[in-house]
Amino acid sequence: MTDTLQTDRSTGFAEREAAEIVAELTLEEKASLTSGASFWTTKAVERAGIPSIVLTDGPHGVRLQRGSADHLGIGDSVPATCFPPAVALGSAFDPELAERVGRALGEEARAEGVGVLLGPGINIKRSPLCGRNFEYLSEDPLVSGVLGAALVKGLQSQGVGASLKHFAANNQEHDRMRASSDVDPRPLREIYLRGFQRVVEEAQPWTVMCSYNRLNGVYTSEDPWLLTSVLRDEWGFEGLVVSDWGAVNDRVAGLPAGLDLEMPASDGRTDAQLVAAVRDGRLDQAVLDVAVRRAVELAQKATADARSSVEPVETYDVDAHHALAREAAGRGVVLLKNDDTLLPLATGSDAAQRIAVIGEFARTPRYQGAGSSLINPTRLDTALAEIELLAGADRVGFAPGFALDASDAPADAALVAEAAAAAAAADVVLLFLGLPGAAESEGFDREHLRLPAGQLELLTAVRAANPNIVVVLANGGVVELPFADDVPAIVEGWLGGQAGGGGVADVLFGVVNPSGRLAETIPVRLEDTPAYLDFPGEFGHVRYGEGLFVGYRWYDARDAAVRYPFGHGLSYTRFAYSGLSATADEAGLAVRVTVTNTGDRAGREVVQVYTALAGSSVARAPRELKGFANVALEAGESREVEVAVRREDLAYWDIRVDHWIVEGGAYTVEVGASSRDIRLVGAVDVAGDDVRLPLTMESSIGDVMANPIAGPIVMQAMGSFTAGLGESDVFTDDGMEKMMASFPIGRLVGFPGIPVTYEQIEQLIALANARQD
Ligand code: BGC
């Protein structure tokens, strides 16, 4: 263990009031506590007993660099369990599993003396091109929020802080340190911030990491609206805001906006700027004190004494964590296609089927993405070795088929010939394809969604030799699958972490019955994707032109074809749905449905609940995921599952009142096995929130008519007015009535034939507004 965390035992640092400690510090000491001492540590103030703490990546393993980190902080790190990156964990759709993984991460972090693990990353997968999608959970904010909260709870149960990142609207890598994500209020709230809000409110991460980018023109690291009004005042965040590494643009602007800690070290330069700003009155010292108090409180939480409720650990069970990594990898695998029940394959060397394993990835796995999340694994499974173990080596032949460095080069004829021969000699082919490491990474985006051309050539050649092919994919972001109709089975293995090879093998042989679901749509073509025309932006701006219609919301609204829909994933058993009921109360909806495993083996179903509101007064997607349940059922077992939908999850962001509003009405409730495999449909009446908008001269006649006070008065006045006019006049004509509905009432005055004065309208408005208060 590092000794930084143990310095407090004698001083009682952890028990003292943080504000009291802050009061004893000099201005220089205060400023020093709000930036890093090194790449991964905060500063200590020994005189006051304040220890340095370690913050390190994250998210799917502990990337702790011993000694002095290299200048980019990406060199060697201590061995740690490389759990499945978020792309795979997200596909498991299971908060209980995510919490267990979080707990294991916490144990490892604690054993290494880490105070804060930099994760989870819950940014929305806006475009499949984002180079860092492997580090994010979903295209849907409910999935990101639920799983993100579970990870934070698990991690923090071990006395290690989370750093919820990257806050906010950091949905691409291109120009990530400068570009402005230009997002309208509704998509910002309903899609991009919603998951963050849920994690903050449910799990109180110790820290939130602001992103590099600007949001609607303002660097998130100096955005008081984002870091204070929304994060603290609205959501009640109590922890510390840390900058992404190097995200600070102007420290003196950032601190009062709500940025507490600059990371990594700034060589004292920005600390001196803070001191000068306080001295010359540009920065209120009280504001600095608040940031320092939060830094002290973080150090208190991260120190050994504060962990007294948690058993101290010096080490962790490497085998148990590897086993958990394997379980999680298997649970994240998505069985996309399985014609004629080609899978699962029989285990054991007695089985007659000969298996050709083709593809370098089977031997040299791609199991995590590049960049700051790169873990030095404690061990590494290969699919080939795990398949040989499960099948018996005698039944298995191997051909690499392609070389990993030949990413977009034509296929190597000799390797292809060897692979085709292996395929011809086998009964079934397991063809491992995927993206080479260089294709996707933190720091840059992909330019297309294609697999390397050489791999597709290999597929064609192997298919000619033996059509009985299971394609097994390794990729962190989704890829186009032009061959989907040409092969009988496809297994999406994602980047599965250090035990990913075992996790995939478990699914191929039915040791694990697949239950992973797509947390993001697999499109037919890049050109079909929602952000296609607005990614990655230009001249420092990226306009989120698709608005609310991100992921499946887009494809469903346009009734467009997809390769595999959001929520899709097959099983080796079948599930039947019956008995849907939905009731509403002030907490939200209780959706009940009976799920029966009608097949002959145990399995898991991810029951998905979508809602819609026909005739809504605001733009909405045809269906939105509002809840899900992960249910394990024995063969033949039947269970009533209840999915609770929180009332706040039914709300839209109302730009008129800058608030969440639940619109009243008869909501459609769809329950199914994917967004395009809806099994049961019901309806439930939901009482709406009152939206009281004061009338003004700018209010439309439609608004005035809808007002409970003014409406009847105007109606009556109109009645007597129109009674004197003949059949052909304005208010008896339907089209004219519609036109008048959007006419601002103040503009009526002076219109020939309209007998109202300005004062009369003013009086009407005053009356209506007074009675409503
Ligand atoms: C990444 C963060 C990471 C930090 C520290 C940044 O470049 O965006 O996710 O936690 O570096 O490595």
Side-chain angles (χ1 to χ4, degrees), residues 39-40 57 63 73 118 132 135 165-166 176 209 212 244-245 372 442:
F39 212 88
W40 303 119
D57 285 308
R63 190 172 69 89
L118 303 175
R132 215 174 175 181
E135 248 188 275
K165 68 189 189 183
H166 308 89
R176 66 172 168 161
M209 183 192 290
Y212 285 126
D244 198 343
W245 267 230
S372 62
E442 175 181 345

Side-chain angles (χ1 to χ4, degrees), residues 82 322-323 325-327 329-330 367 379-381 496-504:
C82 177
H322 185 76
R326 181 171 184 147
E327 179 189 348
Y367 61 101
R379 65 181 68 150
L380 186 56
D381 283 359
Q498 69 179 45
V504 158

Side-chain angles (χ1 to χ4, degrees), residues 158-236:
Q158 300 307 301
V160 173
S163 197
L164 186 66
K165 68 189 189 183
H166 308 89
F167 191 56
N170 176 194
N171 309 99
Q172 66 186 48
E173 293 298 287
H174 172 80
D175 207 12
R176 66 172 168 161
M177 298 188 75
R178 299 179 309 179
S180 173
S181 302
D182 295 340
V183 201
D184 287 342
R186 280 196 63 201
L188 183 56
R189 292 290 190 154
E190 295 178 35
I191 305 288
Y192 296 100
L193 295 183
R194 199 167 212 154
F196 283 98
Q197 176 167 5
R198 184 176 204 118
V199 179
V200 167
E201 290 178 349
E202 272 187 14
Q204 275 296 345
W206 291 6
T207 77
V208 165
M209 183 192 290
C210 77
S211 52
Y212 285 126
N213 55 288
R214 290 178 292 146
L215 172 58
N216 292 326
V218 183
Y219 277 109
T220 64
S221 62
E222 54 196 58
D223 185 345
W225 175 81
L226 185 71
L227 300 186
T228 300
S229 307
V230 172
L231 180 63
R232 294 189 187 278
D233 302 346
E234 281 184 34
W235 303 348

Side-chain angles (χ1 to χ4, degrees), residues 60 82-85 361 364-369 374-377 379-381 474 494-501:
H60 57 269
C82 177
F83 289 98
F361 289 123
T364 311
R366 243 208 99 210
Y367 61 101
Q368 62 177 333
L374 197 84
I375 301 305
N376 175 13
R379 65 181 68 150
L380 186 56
D381 283 359
W494 306 118
L495 305 181
Q498 69 179 45

Side-chain angles (χ1 to χ4, degrees), residues 6 22 92 145 153 164 249 405 425 435 500 547 562-563 571 575 658 664 669 682 686 695:
Q6 297 179 337
V22 175
K153 283 182 201 163
L164 186 66
N249 168 60
D405 53 353
L435 291 177
V562 298
R563 185 65 72 189
S571 166
F575 299 95
D658 244 358
V669 176
V686 174
L695 293 180

